[in-house]
């Protein structure tokens, strides 16, 4: 009953502010890409990049270095996705400085971004590990629950940090407004928030927004990298013949006994000295 009443009163034509941010962010990224393409086509071979071309190339080089450092040079083609992902979060957060709500303040947006990373984990895991990817679910049933940790962690981390900053600023505006309003004559203008607010906006909207974009992109690469490392020591041991595995096990036990014996000798010597 409550659901049907809510749907009946729902305004389908109302546009959420985060949707506006998504549109503006997409337009900005597409515009920068179009201008960059036009500029590069007009450049001569020996001409040094400058202006927007130089800025874009610096960003691409930086993001490409992150991809190569984490995943390897073989997967540098993922630079395009990682760069768009980080710019999408970064520009959306920076738009908050002019009073536009960040798209990351809506959980469905952060959940959608994290869902792409989560699907990528399964795709890369199955591609590299084959059927061994599902082995962990059989050996440890708790993995059926913990497998959703990256999805929940990524989505709530970004949503919580951006929303937290907005809530802090809202409380600060409300508190200082109520305090300053009780001051006669000059109480009509909130000078208190006017002196502190800009610095807090620079931190929450610019600095924290940039850090969150970088962290989200880095964690995405790390989660995918973990799935690429399919041939762990345990899996390599399973591929070895049975005789070699027994021999290695004996060598490990022998090394453990030798280590224990050496520790006993050192303990005896220290006791004798005392």
């Amino acid at each position: 009953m409550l659901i049907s009443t809510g749907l009946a009163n729902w305004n389908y034509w109302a546009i959420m502010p985060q949707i506006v941010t998504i549109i503006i962010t997409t337009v900005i990224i597409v515009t920068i890409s179009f201008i960059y393409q036009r500029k590069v086509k007009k450049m001569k071979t020996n001409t040094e990049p400058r202006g927007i071309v130089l800025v874009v190339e610096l960003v691409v080089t930086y993001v490409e270095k992150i991809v190569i450092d984490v995943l390897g040079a073989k997967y540098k083609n993922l630079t395009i996705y990682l760069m768009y992902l980080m710019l999408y979060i970064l520009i959306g957060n920076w738009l908050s400085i002019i009073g536009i709500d960040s798209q990351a303040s809506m959980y469905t947006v952060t959940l959608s971004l994290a869902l792409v990373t989560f699907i990528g984990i399964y795709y890369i895991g199955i591609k590299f590990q084959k059927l061994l990817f599902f082995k962990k679910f059989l050996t440890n049933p708790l993995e059926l629950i913990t497998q959703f940790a990256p999805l929940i962690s990524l989505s709530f981390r970004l949503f919580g940090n951006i929303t937290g900053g907005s809530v802090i600023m809202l409380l600060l505006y409300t508190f200082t407004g109520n305090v300053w309003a009780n001051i006669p004559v000059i109480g009509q203008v909130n000078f208190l928030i006017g002196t502190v607010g800009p610095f807090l906006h620079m931190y929450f909207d610019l600095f924290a927004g940039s850090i969150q974009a970088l962290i989200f992109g880095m964690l995405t690469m790390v989660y995918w990298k973990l799935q690429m490392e399919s041939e762990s020591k345990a899996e390599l041991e399973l591929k070895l013949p049975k005789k070699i595995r027994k021999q290695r096990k004996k060598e490990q036990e022998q090394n453990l006994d030798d280590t224990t014996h050496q520790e006993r000798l050192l303990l005896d010597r220290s006791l004798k000295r005392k």
Side-chain angles (χ1 to χ4, degrees), residues 171-225:
L171 293 175
L172 188 62
Y173 273 105
T174 305
F175 174 74
T176 55
N178 291 333
V179 171
W180 205 262
N182 295 321
I183 301 176
V185 183
I186 63 172
Q188 300 300 321
V189 181
N190 192 344
F191 288 101
L192 185 59
I193 194 63
T195 55
V196 181
F199 298 100
L200 293 176
H201 275 294
M202 289 177 64
Y203 174 78
F204 288 117
D205 299 334
L206 300 182
F207 179 73
S210 304
I211 294 297
Q212 292 305 316
L214 179 62
I215 290 176
F216 197 98
M218 288 291 295
L219 288 177
T220 296
M221 296 294 106
V222 170
Y223 282 131
W224 290 352
K225 177 63 175 179

